[in-house]
Amino acid sequence: MKKMIAALSLIALSGCASLDTSSILPSFWDDNQSHSIINVYQMAVNMDCARPQKPQAQAMVNELQWFQLYSESKGFLQKDVLKLIEPMQATVKEWADKDTTSPAYCTIKKKIVIEQAKTASKAVLGRF
Amino acid sequence: MSDKLQQLSNCGHSWAEERARQALEIVQFRDAGQLTPAEAQELLQDLVATDKLEAVADNIAIKTALVEAVYVAAQFS
């Protein structure tokens, strides 16, 4: 009963009982998504610019793809986290597509990806 | 553009200052030949993407806080 009251209050607070509840309700805590996003964060932190970058970047692409496929399979409430990772997917895909880069590229790209991964991790792990 | 970024890097808003400093670093590396123009453009677009990601993250955090608040209120009703 209390959970029903909470859910109804949430809908009322939104101002509109829309059928698209993904715009009202956030997705909720998920162990697998949490593990996956931290994997991405760790890969970003451990990126070694002295070693071939392409396979390291591809590993991040693959992990983000895992996150995407898992979230899409999980259901309609996952739209928020799917939207969350879109910018990061674009950022790391560009990196993985490169065979060679300038000296400063890896250093700067790594900083950006770490920042994105850190923000995404906090959002994913901070859910109810 | 570098002048504008220099100004923004001291504008008093920490989030804008940090972003401006990052953009300035990219521009300076490009001008010094340590980044190609295409790489610099890509990295600058990555900064824009970072802001989009942060906006979505903020949205998730706000909705989560709302759910938590309503749940707690329901527990005590």
Side-chain angles (χ1 to χ4, degrees):
Chain A
M1 184 62 182
K2 286 181 180 176
K3 287 181 182 176
M4 191 187 300
I5 292 170
L8 287 173
S9 301
L10 197 57
I11 292 170
L13 280 167
S14 74
C16 175
S18 168
L19 286 175
D20 180 15
T21 53
S22 65
S23 64
I24 305 167
L25 290 172
S27 55
F28 294 97
W29 173 272
D30 182 289
D31 288 343
N32 293 322
Q33 288 171 334
S34 300
H35 185 264
S36 179
I37 201 68
I38 292 298
N39 275 350
V40 175
Y41 190 7
Q42 184 182 31
M43 287 180 207
V45 168
N46 290 338
M47 171 65 74
D48 184 352
C49 292
R51 286 175 42 229
Q53 298 166 37
K54 195 176 177 79
Q56 297 180 80
Q58 188 59 47
M60 285 193 279
V61 169
N62 293 346
E63 186 66 40
L64 284 167
Q65 184 189 42
W66 190 97
F67 188 105
Q68 178 189 349
L69 292 170
Y70 175 85
S71 304
E72 286 173 349
S73 301
K74 202 177 172 195
F76 68 94
L77 268 186
Q78 306 304 312
K79 283 185 186 177
D80 56 357
V81 291
L82 286 167
K83 199 172 172 187
L84 180 72
I85 65 165
E86 272 176 16
M88 205 170 12
Q89 285 179 301
T91 301
V92 298
K93 187 173 185 315
E94 287 167 337
W95 201 353
D97 286 344
K98 286 185 162 42
D99 293 316
T100 57
T101 64
S102 298
Y105 177 90
C106 182
T107 306
I108 298 171
K109 192 81 165 182
K110 179 178 172 177
K111 279 188 213 173
I112 292 172
V113 173
I114 286 174
E115 185 179 346
Q116 291 182 354
K118 186 177 178 181
T119 302
S121 295
K122 281 187 176 177
V124 171
L125 271 71
R127 293 175 299 170
F128 187 63
Chain B
M1 182 172 67
S2 295
D3 291 341
K4 189 69 180 174
L5 289 172
Q6 288 278 14
Q7 287 174 15
L8 285 167
S9 66
N10 293 300
C11 68
H13 299 281
S14 59
W15 65 271
E17 287 182 351
E18 178 56 27
R19 198 58 84 227
R21 272 195 287 271
Q22 288 173 319
L24 200 52
E25 182 186 43
I26 293 168
V27 168
Q28 287 170 343
F29 272 119
R30 183 200 62 196
D31 293 345
Q34 294 191 46
L35 286 172
T36 66
E39 286 174 336
Q41 184 178 19
E42 177 191 311
L43 292 170
L44 289 168
Q45 286 171 345
D46 288 340
L47 292 182
V48 174
T50 303
D51 287 334
K52 288 182 186 173
L53 190 155
E54 286 178 4
V56 176
D58 284 345
N59 200 269
I60 292 173
I62 289 168
K63 286 181 181 176
T64 297
L66 184 58
V67 167
E68 287 174 343
V70 170
Y71 183 78
V72 168
Q75 296 299 309
F76 290 102
S77 64

